[in-house]
Amino acid sequence: MIQVAINGYGTIGKRVADAVGAQPDMEVVGVAKTRPNFEARTAIDNGYPLYAAIEERVGLFEEAGMGLDGTVDELVEAADVVVDATPSGIGAENRSLYEEYETPAIYQGGEDADVADVSFNARSNYEDAVDADHVRVVSCNTTGLSRVIAPLGETYGIEKVRATLVRRGGDPGQTGRGPINDILPNPVTVPSHHGPDVNTIFPDLDIDTLGMKVPATLMHMHSLNVTLEAAVDAADVRDLLAGESRLFLIPESFAIDGSGKLKEYALDAGRPRGDLWENCIWEESISTEGRDCYLFQGIHQESDVVPENVDAIRAITGAADAAESVETTDESMGVGF
């Protein structure tokens, strides 16, 4: 069993912990928190050993009646691999800790690419991360773009990608970002950071991205235009994308006309926290004009990187090849509607 430490038990960390716990070949050796808040209590209630991320705050956990199994140093030393799910920038600060105990580490897309040996997307470059010491799972948006780019590029070849990303203003729990009533170019310059981040997965890809923020919390929305190397039929593209396990083509008959109904569908389907691990592509939006392919897709920023973290664990430990890992991850988590 691969012993996995989770450093940070917030939006991403708690989801990764649950996903790891569902794997037949992995075990959560513990999770680290900086303070004894409701998430720390939830970790204990879920049976995860709890460690203090900051040694000086051990007393705070004791005062809150939360028993600790130790400090983050002890957690890292005990693990085969650590998933760093701390806020952006903290992962880079933690790298020296992981190196001290020679524990391979996985970081999140909020970190700069140079924090790791390789940026990772399971569908696109799994093998690059095999036996690496430091791997960065790219952001939710880059993950979503990469999952579509990979099959289109392999099947048809890509001349250029243009993407407009309409981004949520904050996660549901990020109350410090609202209330808001605005629409912001973010950034106002072109390209947004998403295109260069995609290039950490596809170095030779010609891609331009624009971003904006809107007063919503549910999901991101992508408007995607891919110029292929040959003219294609929309029906063929739909068939190709329908064959990808982490792409969900929303049938027109479902009458899901936006992110709100999409999230409600996930909740009705019994998804934990209403999570959508897949890219959610409106099937009728997939259209073609000559060599240009167009589509709309919803990206659930809280959860689409979770299966990628699980696959990165197997890659970084050399535990499985790409096809075996993705199949195991998807089956154990229930990925795919």
Side-chain angles (χ1 to χ4, degrees), residues 271-302:
R271 285 291 182 85
R273 305 181 180 91
D275 284 346
L276 292 152
W277 303 300
E278 309 85 353
N279 294 29
C280 300
I281 301 173
W282 276 265
E283 186 173 27
E284 68 267 35
S285 77
I286 301 173
S287 56
T288 56
E289 291 288 340
R291 294 188 296 122
D292 283 306
C293 176
Y294 303 88
L295 60 84
F296 285 113
Q297 64 177 2
I299 302 297
H300 187 216
Q301 75 282 356
E302 297 175 276

Side-chain angles (χ1 to χ4, degrees), residues 92-168:
E93 297 177 7
N94 289 336
R95 175 171 167 147
S96 60
L97 169 64
Y98 309 141
E99 291 177 332
E100 178 182 351
Y101 291 101
E102 298 182 349
T103 304
I106 295 165
Y107 307 87
Q108 305 309 307
E111 302 296 327
D112 291 338
D114 60 8
V115 75
D117 306 322
V118 59
S119 291
F120 177 86
N121 173 255
R123 177 61 179 83
S124 309
N125 68 337
Y126 183 100
E127 296 302 325
D128 291 347
V130 172
D131 296 329
D133 291 323
H134 300 274
V135 170
R136 169 180 168 264
V137 172
V138 291
S139 73
C140 53
N141 283 309
T142 305
T143 293
L145 291 169
S146 297
R147 287 175 177 171
V148 172
I149 288 167
L152 289 177
E154 292 167 3
T155 305
Y156 303 115
I158 293 176
E159 179 180 306
K160 186 176 179 64
V161 177
R162 306 167 190 84
T164 299
L165 297 86
V166 181
R167 303 165 57 204
R168 88 302 180 248

Side-chain angles (χ1 to χ4, degrees), residues 145 160-165 167 185-199 205-212:
L145 291 169
K160 186 176 179 64
V161 177
R162 306 167 190 84
T164 299
L165 297 86
R167 303 165 57 204
N186 186 259
V188 72
T189 54
V190 178
S192 66
H193 71 272
H194 307 94
D197 200 34
V198 170
N199 286 139
L205 182 69
D206 187 356
I207 179 170
D208 290 331
T209 55
L210 300 91
M212 66 180 73

Side-chain angles (χ1 to χ4, degrees), residues 13-333:
K14 62 189 177 185
R15 288 171 163 85
V16 172
D18 290 351
V20 167
Q23 303 306 307
D25 56 347
M26 299 180 190
E27 182 179 7
V28 177
V29 68
V31 304
K33 284 291 294 179
T34 59
R35 58 196 176 103
N37 62 2
F38 77 94
E39 289 165 331
R41 172 57 62 189
T42 301
I44 294 173
D45 292 343
N46 286 338
Y48 300 132
L50 182 65
Y51 291 76
I54 300 173
E55 187 172 0
E56 292 76 14
R57 296 185 182 177
V58 167
L60 297 179
F61 288 88
E62 295 174 347
E63 291 172 9
M66 297 186 190
L68 292 172
D69 285 71
T71 63
V72 68
D73 299 66
E74 296 169 290
L75 175 61
V76 171
E77 185 177 20
D80 296 321
V81 59
V82 57
V83 176
D84 188 295
T86 59
S88 299
I90 304 301
E93 297 177 7
N94 289 336
R95 175 171 167 147
S96 60
L97 169 64
Y98 309 141
E99 291 177 332
E100 178 182 351
Y101 291 101
E102 298 182 349
T103 304
I106 295 165
Y107 307 87
Q108 305 309 307
E111 302 296 327
D112 291 338
D114 60 8
V115 75
D117 306 322
V118 59
S119 291
F120 177 86
N121 173 255
R123 177 61 179 83
S124 309
N125 68 337
Y126 183 100
E127 296 302 325
D128 291 347
V130 172
D131 296 329
D133 291 323
H134 300 274
V135 170
R136 169 180 168 264
V137 172
V138 291
S139 73
C140 53
N141 283 309
T142 305
T143 293
L145 291 169
S146 297
R147 287 175 177 171
V148 172
I149 288 167
L152 289 177
E154 292 167 3
T155 305
Y156 303 115
I158 293 176
E159 179 180 306
K160 186 176 179 64
V161 177
R162 306 167 190 84
T164 299
L165 297 86
V166 181
R167 303 165 57 204
R168 88 302 180 248
D171 290 341
Q174 290 178 309
T175 52
R177 297 194 180 189
I180 51 178
N181 182 26
D182 211 346
I183 300 174
L184 301 176
N186 186 259
V188 72
T189 54
V190 178
S192 66
H193 71 272
H194 307 94
D197 200 34
V198 170
N199 286 139
T200 67
I201 303 292
F202 302 95
D204 299 324
L205 182 69
D206 187 356
I207 179 170
D208 290 331
T209 55
L210 300 91
M212 66 180 73
K213 282 187 176 181
V214 297
T217 63
L218 294 175
M219 301 179 71
H220 302 302
M221 186 76 71
H222 295 176
S223 171
L224 200 58
N225 168 209
V226 182
T227 301
L228 305 169
E229 292 182 350
V232 295
D233 185 79
D236 292 334
V237 176
R238 293 188 192 112
D239 289 342
L240 172 69
L241 299 184
E244 295 285 320
S245 67
R246 294 179 184 172
L247 303 182
F248 167 46
L249 270 59
I250 306 167
E252 185 174 2
S253 62
F254 278 21
I256 294 176
D257 57 6
S259 298
K261 289 180 182 175
L262 188 54
K263 282 285 290 180
E264 186 171 1
Y265 173 63
L267 288 164
D268 289 346
R271 285 291 182 85
R273 305 181 180 91
D275 284 346
L276 292 152
W277 303 300
E278 309 85 353
N279 294 29
C280 300
I281 301 173
W282 276 265
E283 186 173 27
E284 68 267 35
S285 77
I286 301 173
S287 56
T288 56
E289 291 288 340
R291 294 188 296 122
D292 283 306
C293 176
Y294 303 88
L295 60 84
F296 285 113
Q297 64 177 2
I299 302 297
H300 187 216
Q301 75 282 356
E302 297 175 276
S303 67
D304 79 324
V305 300
V306 173
E308 309 298 323
N309 274 269
V310 175
D311 291 327
I313 291 169
R314 292 197 185 93
I316 206 171
T317 58
D321 63 24
E324 181 183 0
S325 180
V326 169
E327 182 179 0
T328 302
T329 300
D330 290 353
E331 182 177 353
S332 60
M333 289 182 62

